[in-house]
């Protein structure tokens, strides 16, 4: 297989894999993202685009160990009811849903700028879910703040417009989130 044929095969495999990964949201195929990615990797090796040795070298084991470690720590913190305890502290500190939304946005943005984004998502998501459940708050605006700050940082956003997350979109999300939590009367609904 010459270079042109390898590039053509790699492009076709990438396109197929991308359709399979996005097909879950498009309801085309019931294949999940990891299975679609694995299928793409197998096709790359089976068609000779990559050798098995090159595929092994492409795997970043440091990242895999970091993510596994963070998932284990997060699971043990969940079992120890740390997130419920921290949720009560967060709710008492923020006092209003609007301030809570502001704190989630700022915390996730600052931490994503300093640390690895995946670890921030793995640690903040269970905490945000616990805060939402304990405070009986609407689900929509809070998890999106942590996710959008991570994506904002991943895109290398430095002040210009990015494809999906420009300043106007961010402002619209923030305002809609504030209005979504405003009818709760300023309290966080813990009943205390």
């Amino acid at each position: 297989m010459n270079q042109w044929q390898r590039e053509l095969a790699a492009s076709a495999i990438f396109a197929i894999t991308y359709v399979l990964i996005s097909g879950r949201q498009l309801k085309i195929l019931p294949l999940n993202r990891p299975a679609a990615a694995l299928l793409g990797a197998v096709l790359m090796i089976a068609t000779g685009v990559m050798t098995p040795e090159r595929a092994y070298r492409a795997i970043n084991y440091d990242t895999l160990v970091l993510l596994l470690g963070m998932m284990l720590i997060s699971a043990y913190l969940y079992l120890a009811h740390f997130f419920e305890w921290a949720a009560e502290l967060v709710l008492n500190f923020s006092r209003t849903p609007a301030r809570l939304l502001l704190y989630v946005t700022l915390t996730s943005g600052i931490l994503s700028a300093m640390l690895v984004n995946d670890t921030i998502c793995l640690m903040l998501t269970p905490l945000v879910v616990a805060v939402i459940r304990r405070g009986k708050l609407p689900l929509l605006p809070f998890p999106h703040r942590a996710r959008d700050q991570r994506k904002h940082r991943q895109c290398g956003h430095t002040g210009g417009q990015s494809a999906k997350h420009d300043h106007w979109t961010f402002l619209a999300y923030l305002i809609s989130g504030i209005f979504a939590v405003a009818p709760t009367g300023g309290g966080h609904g813990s009943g205390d």
Side-chain angles (χ1 to χ4, degrees):
M1 185 181 282
N2 64 27
Q3 181 67 23
W4 184 84
Q5 289 173 329
R6 269 199 302 265
E7 288 179 10
L8 182 64
S11 298
I13 292 169
F14 174 78
I16 291 167
T17 305
Y18 195 79
V19 167
L20 290 174
I21 288 172
S22 63
R24 184 174 144 212
Q25 292 182 345
L26 301 174
K27 308 284 191 256
I28 296 171
L29 293 171
L31 197 63
N32 61 19
R33 288 181 287 179
L38 181 62
L39 177 64
V42 168
L43 286 175
M44 289 288 233
I45 293 171
T47 58
V49 172
M50 289 183 86
T51 64
E53 295 80 23
R54 188 170 169 206
Y56 284 129
R57 285 195 312 266
I59 297 171
N60 187 338
Y61 292 103
D62 293 337
T63 301
L64 290 177
V65 169
L66 172 71
L67 291 175
L68 176 64
M70 293 304 296
M71 288 179 197
L72 289 171
I73 289 170
S74 181
Y76 280 116
L77 289 173
Y78 176 78
L79 291 174
H81 302 287
F82 169 79
F83 295 116
E84 286 89 14
W85 172 79
E88 189 62 34
L89 289 176
V90 168
L91 286 169
N92 288 335
F93 179 75
S94 60
R95 295 197 179 115
T96 67
R99 283 177 50 188
L100 175 64
L101 184 64
L102 175 68
Y103 294 155
V104 168
T105 303
L106 291 176
T107 302
S108 61
I110 290 168
L111 289 176
S112 290
M114 295 186 296
L115 301 171
V116 178
N117 295 326
D118 297 327
T119 61
I120 301 307
C121 288
L122 284 171
M123 295 308 285
L124 275 186
T125 300
L127 177 61
V128 170
V129 169
V131 167
I132 290 168
R133 285 184 178 162
R134 184 173 285 271
K136 297 180 179 99
L137 296 168
L139 180 64
L140 181 62
F142 297 100
H144 293 293
R145 292 288 60 82
R147 183 205 65 209
D148 289 346
Q149 286 298 325
R150 177 185 60 87
K151 284 185 178 180
H152 205 63
R153 167 75 164 72
Q154 272 182 340
C155 293
H157 194 19
T158 58
Q161 288 189 348
S162 67
K164 291 185 180 177
H165 301 285
D166 61 6
H167 292 293
W168 295 112
T169 304
F170 177 75
L171 182 62
Y173 274 138
L174 186 63
I175 291 171
S176 68
I178 290 170
F179 283 119
V181 298
T184 61
H188 56 70
S190 67
D192 293 334

